[in-house]
Amino acid sequence: MTLNLSSTEARRIALAAQGFGRRLPLNPGAAQLRALAERLGLFQIDSVNVLTRAHYLPAFARLGHYDRALLERDAWGPARHRRLFEYWAHEASLLPLDLHPLLRWRMARAERGETGYRRLRRFAGEERPQAMAVLERIAAEGPLTAADFENGASRSGWWEWSDTKHALEWLLWSGRITTATRRGSFARVYDLPERVLPAALLALPTPAPDAAQAGLVERAARALGVATAADLRDYYRLRPGEGDPAIAALAEAGVLLPVRVEGWSQRAWLHRDAAPPRRVRGAALLAPFDPLVWERGRTERLFGFRYRIEIYVPAERRQHGYYVLPFLLDEALVARVDLKAERAIGVLAARRVTLEPGAPADTMPRLLAELERMAAWLGLERVVLGEVVDGGELPVASYPT
């Protein structure tokens, strides 16, 4: 039997599954951060630092003023404190340790040259000796960055990566090495998994690929609440041949329930534990790579909000700005804010605010309160507000800051 959900119910389910609508803890600590990592299943990593790096922002949106050092300790601290590891999941990600066994099938495929971009796959074949030489040096010398190898640093971007950097990335994809820590300008420091990850984790049995893929889809379904098959596959970047059998198996087991959502053209799946709250209240600025909005088609279906990141768009062609965060107010995305942390002068600059059509009257006061909260979290002294326009690109009243 297929259930029917209104668009409002689907939106509330999705927000609750993502951890919104709860009262912010007064002093969020390690326990709350770890519970959130478990709920979301990953924090996507991005090195752009115009505001703060993207993997810090989802926790701030849901927990408030937490200590970023807690995330750094869980991700890159001493082995006894490790709760997260780096791997390619939904792009480069920080993942709870218990997902490591569920991703070993992907590591095995990378090791065989069956996944990854073309240049990467060559290290599984004809260039394997070069990769093994890189691995042997790490084993002998300990943690190393790409720059620690002769001619190992990227010159000006990923498209000009050196052979050594490609070899390191293949070793990472194949599980032969992992990230020990991050250094300087966020450079990865590579080391052997047995010197970084808990021995008990590495000793866990490796599930069969189909069981692991079902585990990943189940985690995605919990994190999304209600989702199409494409949404479920996208969360951990599964191909149709990997994700669709897992969805079918979970549906057969009653973990996923078929639903029709008002306004959605595709059939959707509801996690059996998901339920719509009566309402969702709160405010949050969302990173471009927040799991609530990273799949742009889903964002449009849930919120009627068309969102594209414009970092790589020439400045004169940008519509909303360089690093634009959607503003979630209760159950709607009501504005877009182009943000920059001007650290040298202690300013959080909201260079442009674009209000969505129909944004409620209290949007700007609540947005300013959220910006002030973010500025305090980032250690900035004040907020400076630039241009404010409505959805029709018309200037509106200025606001004191």
Side-chain angles (χ1 to χ4, degrees), residues 321-348:
Y322 178 78
Y323 198 73
V324 175
L325 279 69
F327 180 49
L328 174 68
L329 186 62
D330 299 330
E331 299 174 9
L333 297 175
V334 299
R336 308 159 194 258
V337 191
D338 184 20
L339 285 176
K340 182 177 182 180
E342 302 277 6
R343 298 176 184 89
I345 56 174
V347 163
L348 177 60

Side-chain angles (χ1 to χ4, degrees), residues 3-21 39 220-227 257 259-261 264 268-280 292 298 302-303 331:
L3 304 173
N4 292 304
L5 293 176
S6 69
S7 58
T8 298
E9 288 173 323
R11 188 163 52 250
R12 288 173 177 169
I13 288 169
L15 287 166
Q18 281 281 301
F20 290 103
R39 169 182 287 274
R222 282 185 182 274
L224 294 172
V226 60
L257 308 176
V259 295
R260 292 285 180 187
V261 178
W264 293 20
W269 298 96
L270 179 74
H271 193 281
R272 65 184 174 191
D273 296 336
R278 285 190 172 184
R279 63 179 188 175
V280 177
L292 183 65
R298 176 178 169 82
L302 281 171
F303 299 101
E331 299 174 9

Side-chain angles (χ1 to χ4, degrees), residues 135-349:
L135 179 62
E136 288 167 10
R137 184 170 168 189
I138 292 173
E141 298 182 25
L144 295 172
T145 67
D148 291 324
F149 291 82
E150 184 179 3
N151 300 320
S154 173
R155 294 194 291 277
S156 64
W158 67 266
W159 57 92
E160 295 184 26
W161 276 4
S162 68
D163 286 345
T164 302
K165 180 63 176 174
H166 285 295
L168 286 164
E169 288 303 303
W170 176 75
L171 290 167
L172 182 73
W173 275 55
S174 62
R176 298 292 193 95
I177 59 175
T178 190
T179 304
T181 188
R182 294 277 186 162
R183 183 183 296 165
S185 59
F186 207 56
R188 263 199 194 108
V189 181
Y190 302 92
D191 202 356
L192 304 180
E194 55 265 33
R195 296 201 294 232
V196 174
L197 302 176
L201 172 69
L202 298 177
L204 291 175
T206 298
D210 58 348
Q213 290 151 12
L216 292 173
V217 169
E218 197 276 335
R219 293 290 291 261
R222 282 185 182 274
L224 294 172
V226 60
T228 66
D231 296 337
L232 292 171
R233 294 194 305 264
D234 176 73
Y235 208 81
Y236 290 108
R237 294 291 202 242
L238 298 173
R239 300 170 183 170
E242 298 160 351
D244 289 347
I247 292 169
L250 291 167
E252 179 69 22
V255 177
L256 297 181
L257 308 176
V259 295
R260 292 285 180 187
V261 178
E262 176 190 8
W264 293 20
S265 60
Q266 299 168 289
R267 182 173 67 171
W269 298 96
L270 179 74
H271 193 281
R272 65 184 174 191
D273 296 336
R278 285 190 172 184
R279 63 179 188 175
V280 177
R281 294 289 180 264
L285 287 157
L286 304 174
F289 310 109
D290 190 292
L292 183 65
V293 295
W294 67 28
E295 210 299 303
R296 310 310 190 201
R298 176 178 169 82
T299 303
E300 290 188 43
R301 278 183 274 116
L302 281 171
F303 299 101
F305 185 90
R306 188 178 189 277
Y307 178 48
R308 301 294 185 272
I309 189 166
E310 298 181 274
I311 288 175
Y312 305 110
V313 176
E316 66 275 8
R317 292 170 52 194
R318 290 180 195 134
Q319 184 178 3
H320 301 294
Y322 178 78
Y323 198 73
V324 175
L325 279 69
F327 180 49
L328 174 68
L329 186 62
D330 299 330
E331 299 174 9
L333 297 175
V334 299
R336 308 159 194 258
V337 191
D338 184 20
L339 285 176
K340 182 177 182 180
E342 302 277 6
R343 298 176 184 89
I345 56 174
V347 163
L348 177 60

